[in-house]
């Protein structure tokens, strides 16, 4: 397994990023198009994907839609598009974070380190979480409901794991957001309620009357007290 696949059509920028990451100790590959990147993902396993939005042929959003059909690897999107709609589309498609061009290479590296740390915490690699008919294999990033696998990826997965690791505790929204998204993430706090809604649709028997992810009035959320 290699560390990072960079999909960036600007060869000079992709090479610059790759050289910097290699000096930081990461193994990298560089693809100049989404099509080439998707092919590399079939041939090699990577811990993280660094994905440009504006690409020739398929753009980054289209590529990410295909990737999320079968892979839960963390994805950091890069784009010169700074409007909120583009950022929201990236998150809804399954990106874990989003960095605006032009960016500082050290800042990019910091985001990569944070994503890798949250996704591959060595203490949690073999951890299995279970509650209320749910089973979560933290190492393989797979989720099962009553024995059948369900599609929970990206930030949805990280959020679910965090809540399950604090089962029975009333967690403040600010605490959850900072721990799952990171204090330097561009996203707004309102993203949390959106992801909570998406998770409930997937894991609750009745999303309108949630039992697993409970709302704590004027505080935040609590996972599965009594399940």
């Amino acid at each position: 397994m290699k560390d990072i696949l960079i999909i960036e059509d600007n060869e000079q920028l992709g090479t610059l990023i790759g050289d910097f990451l290699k000096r930081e100790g990461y193994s990298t590959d560089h693809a100049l198009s989404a099509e080439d990147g998707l092919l590399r993902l079939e041939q090699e396993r990577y811990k993280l994907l660094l994905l440009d939005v504006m690409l020739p042929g398929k753009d980054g959003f289209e590529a990410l839609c295909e990737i999320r059909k079968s892979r839960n690897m963390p994805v950091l999107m890069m784009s010169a598009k700074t409007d909120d709609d583009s950022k929201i589309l990236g998150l809804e498609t399954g990106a874990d974070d989003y960095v605006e061009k032009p960016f500082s290479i050290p800042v990019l590296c910091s985001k990569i380190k944070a994503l890798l740390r949250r996704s591959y915490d060595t203490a949690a690699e073999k951890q299995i979480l279970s509650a209320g008919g749910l089973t979560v294999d933290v190492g393989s990033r797979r989720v099962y409901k009553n024995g059948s696998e369900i599609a929970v990826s990206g930030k949805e997965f990280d959020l679910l794991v965090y809540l399950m690791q604090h089962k029975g505790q009333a967690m403040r929204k600010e605490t959850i957001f900072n721990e799952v998204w990171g204090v330097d993430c561009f996203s707004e706090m309102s993203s949390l309620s959106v992801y909570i809604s998406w998770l409930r649709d997937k894991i609750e028997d009745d999303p309108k009357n949630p039992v697993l992810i409970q709302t704590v009035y004027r505080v935040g959320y609590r996972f599965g007290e009594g399940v």
Side-chain angles (χ1 to χ4, degrees):
M1 175 186 282
K2 292 190 176 181
D3 293 320
I4 301 168
L5 173 61
I6 304 163
I7 304 181
E8 166 61 64
D9 65 317
N10 184 318
E11 187 168 4
Q12 184 176 5
L13 177 59
T15 299
L16 175 65
I17 294 170
D19 288 345
F20 186 90
L21 291 175
K22 287 173 184 174
R23 288 198 295 271
E24 291 293 307
Y26 297 109
S27 57
T28 68
D29 280 333
H30 178 205
L32 293 170
S33 69
E35 290 79 5
D36 183 22
L38 291 169
L39 180 60
R40 288 173 182 262
L41 286 171
E42 293 295 331
Q43 299 170 338
E44 178 67 73
R45 293 181 63 202
Y46 297 90
K47 291 183 178 179
L48 180 142
L49 174 61
L50 190 56
L51 177 63
D52 188 29
V53 170
M54 302 298 291
L55 295 167
K58 292 181 180 177
D59 66 20
F61 299 129
E62 293 173 302
L64 186 53
C65 281
E66 290 196 26
I67 290 165
R68 282 299 182 230
K69 292 177 182 177
S70 58
R71 293 175 178 81
N72 288 336
M73 64 192 299
V75 176
L76 174 57
M77 297 198 83
M78 310 176 288
S79 180
K81 289 186 173 183
T82 60
D83 61 286
D84 288 342
D85 287 345
S86 295
K87 295 174 183 177
I88 291 170
L89 178 58
L91 289 177
E92 290 180 343
T93 305
D96 296 277
D97 204 350
Y98 192 107
V99 61
E100 298 175 4
K101 293 180 176 179
F103 49 73
S104 154
I105 296 293
V107 167
L108 178 69
C109 190
S110 176
K111 283 181 172 286
I112 288 171
K113 287 179 179 178
L115 270 180
L116 288 172
R117 183 175 62 252
R118 289 197 294 268
S119 300
Y120 300 101
D121 188 292
T122 54
E125 281 185 356
K126 296 184 178 180
Q127 188 176 5
I128 303 294
L129 303 172
S130 60
L134 281 183
T135 301
V136 177
D137 185 329
V138 180
S140 68
R141 295 178 69 85
R142 294 177 181 270
V143 180
Y144 302 86
K145 181 177 180 179
N146 299 324
S148 298
E149 187 171 1
I150 58 175
V152 178
S153 61
K155 274 290 174 287
E156 290 179 354
F157 181 88
D158 296 335
L159 176 57
L160 177 60
V161 168
Y162 183 78
L163 291 173
M164 292 183 74
Q165 287 174 334
H166 296 83
K167 180 181 175 182
Q169 300 178 38
M171 307 293 295
R172 298 189 63 83
K173 291 181 179 180
E174 295 83 359
T175 301
I176 298 171
F177 183 83
N178 289 338
E179 289 296 324
V180 176
W181 274 262
V183 293
D184 62 343
C185 181
F186 79 89
S187 297
E188 300 292 336
M189 182 82 70
S190 56
S191 298
L192 174 59
S193 60
V194 174
Y195 276 80
I196 289 288
S197 178
W198 289 345
L199 262 182
R200 282 172 170 165
D201 286 340
K202 293 182 177 183
I203 69 174
E204 299 281 1
D205 291 331
D206 181 0
K208 294 182 179 179
N209 297 286
V211 173
L212 295 174
I213 302 179
Q214 305 161 1
T215 298
V216 181
Y217 183 60
R218 290 187 176 180
V219 178
Y221 301 100
R222 176 176 54 224
F223 185 88
E225 185 177 50
V227 299

